[in-house]
Amino acid sequence: MDETSQKIIDATMSLIRDKGYVATTTKDIAILAGVNECTLFRKFKNKKDIVMNGMEQEKWRGNLTPEIFRNVRWELQPDLEMFMEEYMNRITPDFVKLSIGLRAPQIYDETAPLIMKIPRAFVSSLIEYFQSMEQKGKLPHLDFEGLAMIIFSNTFGFTFLNASFDNKLTSINKENYIKTTVATFIQGIPHY
Amino acid sequence: MDETSQKIIDATMSLIRDKGYVATTTKDIAILAGVNECTLFRKFKNKKDIVMNGMEQEKWRGNLTPEIFRNVRWELQPDLEMFMEEYMNRITPDFVKLSIGLRAPQIYDETAPLIMKIPRAFVSSLIEYFQSMEQKGKLPHLDFEGLAMIIFSNTFGFTFLNASFDNKLTSINKENYIKTTVATFIQGIPHY
DNA sequence: CCGATATGCAAGTGATTACTTGCTTTTCAT
DNA sequence: ATGAAAAGCAAGTAATCACTTGCATATCGG
């Protein structure tokens, strides 16, 4: 990946994040990338190709792999706090906005499965985590899918709302929110 | 509001919901509304005017007023379940998609405050509810803003994820999800 | 029935857009 | 220094878009 192509990709994804795919023109991309407009088409097949290449890059994909679910201490409180924190550190407001900007009819068929990878990874890994906790005798058998969805809906919802409304909806900071949520959750679920 | 104008508004908002504002053309609007394209401009100043008129209508605005917070039984479980259920009944997947489609640079300055009304109403009314419960001696003094955000993030998150991914992320149905969430929450917060 | 109003139709306007073309200049590697 | 590759520049193309115009047709209400 040469430097010019990378500049084009970065400019494109930034503009999509700010204005959406359809409202992002190749002229704007060229200006922001600091290249001539025809250079875009020397490097990429078309506008969509720039995006698809951008989404191959970790930088623009919001990397959240099952790896973080392996750095656990097998204690609910620190582990759940860590999962939520990792999610919020990687799924930044900018990434949320980019995900929204990628919802365009021209590309959504291709971008949607990529966007869905992260929620899927998070939820299924969290279910596995709960199952392992059960096997270790630290949790009774519960509806782990439902519990995973509670944690994830919560995490995602807070992240999205902050990305959309900044602090106009709530002034709670992330760390306090995580602690309160996890404490309430742990206290609320059945224990041995 | 004459019938033709209403047809135009309905067609416009439907297309924005499906394709976003920028990708919604006046030609598509006219076809879907079953009118001639020039009729759009006889009835409305421009494309944006159609949208702004649409957002004045309850049908396209996702009505969620503080009224539902008055039909309470002053018991946490039924009340919280009712709040979540009312939200999910009114904020349908279609409304979620419309909200996303309205995020276009050309109109977002105007639509964003309208979109934010609902989260704001929900969170602040929920805070008031918790405060009233405290006054009635049914809850100790707690960080009600934090708790309201937990409930709302959860409700919003689940709603949004279902709107975006259908049942590809989870097959949990709404009612079970609400019951589990509320039960866990109530069990998890401090009581007298 | 008839006049007023509403709407259709087709063509058009000016602007914008993604993308192309042909030539020129700059950069890079040997 | 030199040739090849990379990139700039300006103009261009074809299509699309929001919106307009002038005429024709349909509908409505008295």
Side-chain angles (χ1 to χ4, degrees):
Chain A
M1 178 62 64
D2 63 289
E3 189 189 326
T4 303
S5 294
Q6 190 60 47
K7 287 201 297 191
I8 291 168
I9 289 175
D10 292 346
T12 303
M13 304 305 271
S14 297
L15 286 163
I16 290 174
R17 177 194 67 206
D18 296 337
K19 307 164 75 165
Y21 177 84
V22 184
T24 293
T25 65
T26 53
K27 179 178 169 182
D28 286 339
I29 294 172
I31 291 171
L32 187 60
V35 302
N36 192 277
E37 195 173 343
C38 76
T39 305
L40 307 190
F41 300 97
R42 290 203 176 111
K43 301 284 181 180
F44 299 96
K45 266 180 15 194
N46 47 43
K47 183 168 124 181
K48 177 173 170 176
D49 188 40
I50 309 178
V51 176
M52 301 318 295
N53 273 274
M55 297 201 67
E56 299 279 332
Q57 301 188 353
E58 187 174 307
K59 174 180 183 182
W60 295 107
R61 202 172 49 190
N63 187 33
L64 194 85
T65 59
E67 274 171 23
I68 71 165
F69 290 89
R70 294 196 199 109
N71 304 330
V72 296
R73 294 157 58 177
W74 301 113
E75 299 287 345
L76 267 185
Q77 188 219 341
D79 288 342
L80 292 183
E81 284 179 6
M82 185 266 288
F83 296 155
M84 284 177 75
E85 180 120 26
E86 284 292 319
Y87 183 92
M88 292 186 191
N89 284 342
R90 295 164 187 236
I91 310 303
T92 61
D94 274 357
F95 178 74
V96 170
K97 286 167 185 166
L98 176 60
S99 298
I100 300 296
L102 290 169
R103 298 178 76 138
Q106 296 90 330
I107 58 174
Y108 198 53
D109 284 349
E110 271 122 299
T111 56
L114 301 176
I115 294 172
M116 199 160 73
K117 271 189 181 172
I118 294 177
R120 263 213 174 127
F122 194 93
V123 172
S124 58
S125 297
L126 197 49
I127 292 173
E128 280 165 29
Y129 171 81
F130 287 141
Q131 286 167 345
S132 299
M133 287 292 277
E134 184 194 359
Q135 276 157 31
K136 289 174 187 294
K138 300 204 171 195
L139 274 186
H141 186 68
L142 300 169
D143 171 22
F144 294 137
E145 190 180 353
L147 299 184
M149 274 306 293
I150 289 178
I151 293 287
F152 184 64
S153 295
N154 216 317
T155 310
F156 170 82
F158 186 78
T159 303
F160 188 95
L161 292 166
N162 274 299
S164 295
F165 305 129
D166 296 320
N167 59 357
K168 291 192 214 109
L169 187 59
T170 183
S171 51
I172 295 186
N173 73 50
K174 184 179 71 176
E175 284 76 26
N176 283 346
Y177 184 77
I178 292 176
K179 283 194 184 311
T180 308
T181 302
V182 171
T184 306
F185 178 84
I186 291 175
Q187 181 67 24
I189 59 175
H191 297 270
Y192 278 125
Chain B
M1 175 65 60
D2 63 291
E3 187 189 327
T4 302
S5 297
Q6 190 59 46
K7 288 202 293 191
I8 292 168
I9 288 174
D10 292 345
T12 304
M13 305 305 269
S14 297
L15 286 164
I16 289 173
R17 179 195 66 206
D18 296 338
K19 306 164 77 166
Y21 177 83
V22 184
T24 292
T25 65
T26 52
K27 180 177 167 185
D28 286 340
I29 294 170
I31 290 170
L32 187 60
V35 303
N36 191 275
E37 196 173 343
C38 79
T39 305
L40 307 190
F41 300 96
R42 288 201 178 115
K43 302 282 180 180
F44 301 95
K45 266 180 17 194
N46 48 42
K47 181 166 127 182
K48 178 174 170 176
D49 188 39
I50 309 177
V51 177
M52 300 320 293
N53 272 275
M55 296 200 69
E56 298 280 330
Q57 303 188 352
E58 187 174 307
K59 175 181 185 183
W60 294 107
R61 202 173 47 187
N63 187 32
L64 193 85
T65 59
E67 274 171 26
I68 70 166
F69 290 89
R70 293 197 199 106
N71 304 329
V72 297
R73 294 158 58 179
W74 301 112
E75 299 288 342
L76 267 186
Q77 189 221 341
D79 288 341
L80 292 183
E81 284 180 5
M82 185 267 287
F83 296 155
M84 284 179 74
E85 180 120 23
E86 284 292 318
Y87 182 90
M88 292 186 192
N89 285 341
R90 296 165 185 234
I91 311 302
T92 61
D94 274 356
F95 178 74
V96 170
K97 287 168 184 166
L98 176 61
S99 298
I100 299 296
L102 290 167
R103 296 177 77 141
Q106 296 90 334
I107 58 173
Y108 198 52
D109 285 348
E110 270 122 300
T111 55
L114 300 176
I115 293 171
M116 197 158 75
K117 271 189 182 171
I118 294 178
R120 263 212 175 130
F122 194 92
V123 172
S124 59
S125 297
L126 197 47
I127 291 173
E128 280 165 30
Y129 171 82
F130 286 142
Q131 286 166 346
S132 298
M133 289 291 279
E134 183 193 359
Q135 276 157 31
K136 290 174 187 295
K138 302 205 172 190
L139 272 185
H141 185 70
L142 302 168
D143 172 21
F144 294 136
E145 190 179 355
L147 298 184
M149 273 307 293
I150 288 178
I151 293 287
F152 184 63
S153 295
N154 215 316
T155 310
F156 170 81
F158 187 77
T159 303
F160 187 94
L161 291 166
N162 274 299
S164 296
F165 304 130
D166 297 320
N167 59 357
K168 291 192 213 106
L169 188 58
T170 183
S171 51
I172 295 185
N173 73 52
K174 183 179 72 175
E175 284 77 28
N176 284 346
Y177 184 77
I178 292 176
K179 281 191 186 313
T180 308
T181 302
V182 171
T184 305
F185 178 84
I186 291 175
Q187 180 69 23
I189 58 175
H191 297 271
Y192 280 125

